[in-house]
Amino acid sequence: MTRARAGAAQITARQRNLLHVAKAALRLSDSDYRALLGRSAGVASSTELDHAGFERVIGELERLGFRPGFASKPRSQPRSPKRIGMATDAQLEAIRSAWRMFSGQQDEQALRRWLEKHSKVSHIQFLDASKAGKAIAVLKKMLAWKATHPDASPRRGHSF
């Protein structure tokens, strides 16, 4: 049944993977997929395909609705992996926002120094959810102190 020419270059593993992605995206059964391979390229398996056969099979899969390079359904989640146990994006933004309000400037280095001293982490991204909650509580106290002492600046080394 193979139509692949003797000595013809076989397709790459990446091309073979693309065929299997298309098969899954179109929800083809194994028998339907193999029938498509036979009908389009005259082979029983993707391992027997040459480049010309691959192009014919991809053309048929595209005719059936597959679009290479496009996700089959839009992503509802951001691409970054979920950081289980770590501070949420909302917590991180709350910390940055409270720090800006307290310090009067957007000084990431000063925030990092403060976090190192009070939470024992070298960067905001390393905060777990528990430490982030504590940092937010301390920053709220610092903001309350600043509101009651508008003319005073916090003493160096003052611990909240």
Side-chain angles (χ1 to χ4, degrees), residues 97-105 139 142-143 145-146 154 160:
S97 176
W99 182 258
R100 280 190 303 268
M101 290 181 353
F102 180 75
S103 69
Q105 56 188 350
L139 283 165
M142 290 167 58
L143 287 169
W145 178 85
K146 186 176 181 183
F160 284 90

Side-chain angles (χ1 to χ4, degrees), residues 9-142:
Q10 299 296 305
I11 64 172
T12 65
R14 182 177 237 168
Q15 289 172 314
R16 209 169 10 263
N17 288 341
L18 180 62
L19 293 175
H20 292 282
V21 167
K23 175 187 169 191
L26 294 173
R27 297 182 178 161
L28 296 175
S29 68
D30 195 51
S31 59
D32 289 340
Y33 172 70
R34 293 196 184 280
L36 182 140
L37 287 174
R39 187 175 60 249
S40 301
V43 298
S45 168
S46 61
T47 59
E48 301 171 1
L49 281 173
D50 61 8
H51 293 288
F54 171 78
E55 291 299 325
R56 289 191 300 272
V57 171
I58 281 293
E60 181 66 11
L61 291 167
E62 287 175 345
R63 188 187 68 73
L64 294 172
F66 178 66
R67 297 292 173 253
F70 293 98
S72 57
K73 48 186 165 176
R75 291 181 181 267
S76 59
Q77 297 291 328
R79 287 187 175 260
S80 61
K82 185 148 178 93
R83 298 167 9 121
I84 298 171
M86 301 303 283
T88 65
D89 290 339
Q91 286 177 311
L92 298 177
E93 182 52 38
I95 291 168
R96 285 187 176 108
S97 176
W99 182 258
R100 280 190 303 268
M101 290 181 353
F102 180 75
S103 69
Q105 56 188 350
Q106 189 168 344
D107 186 0
E108 193 75 19
Q109 287 294 77
L111 173 59
R112 289 169 93 177
R113 285 191 303 272
W114 183 83
L115 284 171
E116 179 108 31
K117 181 178 178 183
H118 292 280
S119 300
K120 309 296 187 238
V121 295
S122 61
H123 194 280
I124 192 169
Q125 295 296 328
F126 300 135
L127 281 172
D128 62 27
S130 173
K131 285 184 179 181
K134 290 175 186 174
I136 292 168
V138 170
L139 283 165
K140 284 181 180 179
K141 286 181 184 178
M142 290 167 58

